[in-house]
Amino acid sequence: MENPAVSEVTALLRAWHAGDEGAYRQVSSILYPELRRQAAQYMRRQRAGDTLQATALVHEAFIRLASARVVDWQDRQHFLAVAARTMRRVLVDLARAQASTKRGAGADHVSLGPPPR
């Protein structure tokens, strides 16, 4: 028999998929502690001094997931797997942005040779 809390999350995910925004808020509050723990694990693997905190990582993932109403959520595990992948994607996007800044993104490029005629 399925755990009542698990079946509740599955029912809420299906309601959210059907357009119930209140279901999204309920799923968020139920799964937030677990996602926060996962984010803390990801952040422990990051460089010291990163500005992003685990809480901000979870919030950014939730923002991205909020627009994922088109996903046909199968169950709690499916949601957690997609949320974990989303958090990893947030970290990758942040690393790419920081790397591009280090390499002069947005800087004026100056030619070292004589001006073209």
Side-chain angles (χ1 to χ4, degrees), residues 35 38 42 57 61 64-65 71 73 77-93:
L35 291 173
Q38 183 69 44
Y42 288 147
L57 178 58
R64 291 184 185 195
L65 288 169
V71 176
W73 302 109
Q77 286 305 112
H78 182 217
F79 179 84
L80 292 172
V82 172
R85 185 178 309 144
T86 302
M87 286 189 283
R88 289 190 303 270
R89 176 59 41 205
V90 168
L91 292 172
V92 167
D93 291 347

Side-chain angles (χ1 to χ4, degrees), residues 17-116:
H17 177 69
D20 182 356
E21 292 300 321
Y24 170 73
R25 285 189 291 280
Q26 287 180 289
V27 165
S28 302
S29 65
I30 292 169
L31 297 179
Y32 183 86
E34 192 165 345
L35 291 173
R36 176 68 176 72
R37 280 190 298 279
Q38 183 69 44
Q41 279 185 328
Y42 288 147
M43 295 310 297
R44 278 193 288 274
R45 296 181 210 152
Q46 299 299 306
R47 291 186 326 243
D50 274 349
T51 58
L52 190 64
Q53 299 293 320
T55 301
L57 178 58
V58 173
H59 291 196
E60 181 62 31
F62 270 126
I63 289 169
R64 291 184 185 195
L65 288 169
S67 63
R69 185 185 310 157
V70 296
V71 176
D72 186 15
W73 302 109
Q74 301 302 309
D75 55 18
R76 178 179 175 274
Q77 286 305 112
H78 182 217
F79 179 84
L80 292 172
V82 172
R85 185 178 309 144
T86 302
M87 286 189 283
R88 289 190 303 270
R89 176 59 41 205
V90 168
L91 292 172
V92 167
D93 291 347
L94 180 63
R96 284 184 179 154
Q98 289 172 342
S100 70
T101 301
K102 286 182 184 177
R103 289 171 179 75
D108 292 332
H109 295 278
V110 179
S111 173
L112 299 176

